[in-house]
Amino acid sequence: MNTIAIAISDERLLKLQQIAAELNVSIEELVLMSIESSIAQREVSPPNTAPDILKENAEISTEVVDKFYALAAEWQSEVAGMSSTAQMSLHPAYQEIISMGTKIVPLLLSELKKNPLYWLAALSAITGENPVKPEQRGRVKQMASAWIEWGRNQGYAIEGNV
């Protein structure tokens, strides 16, 4: 087993302590969980290889893809255990994802297939659209399907269904 020393700010340490306490784990366990999550995320969606949805859509720079997946991994590790998606969407990393704008819409549509609930608010905030019909509200898969259909109608190449 190896040891890694990491220097972090007092503010970041306080956040880690709070999250660890909420999850009832040690800071070391929390950091390991985050590392494992980041590794798993890279194995599922490596940041240096664009998902299939990008192949037929506008080019997205490697830097944008890397930034998106880094922020997504940070956000997911820091909101793990939260039950309120509204609260989760207020996290600074999620807000930074939204601030990346329309260039990441293909990434978000692709991610809907893996995590349908997580990216609905971001898509709405970025596009100003809401293709979800009233009868679909509260039904996550149907809501994601509505966004996938919207994406197809907007010209994004999207394979399969949610």
Side-chain angles (χ1 to χ4, degrees), residues 95-129:
Q95 291 300 308
E96 192 169 345
I97 287 169
I98 291 171
S99 75
M100 293 175 75
T102 57
K103 63 186 168 236
I104 64 162
V105 168
L107 292 171
L108 294 173
L109 290 170
S110 175
E111 287 298 310
L112 277 182
K113 293 179 180 182
K114 291 182 254 175
N115 301 306
L117 181 61
Y118 291 163
W119 304 114
L120 298 171
L123 280 163
S124 184
I126 291 169
T127 65
E129 300 283 335

Side-chain angles (χ1 to χ4, degrees), residues 38-51 54 60-71 73 107 111 114:
S38 294
I39 291 169
Q41 181 69 32
R42 284 189 173 267
E43 288 171 351
V44 172
S45 299
N48 291 326
T49 53
L54 301 180
I60 298 179
S61 73
T62 302
E63 292 81 18
V64 169
V65 174
D66 287 348
K67 181 178 179 181
F68 170 78
Y69 283 111
L71 287 168
L107 292 171
E111 287 298 310
K114 291 182 254 175

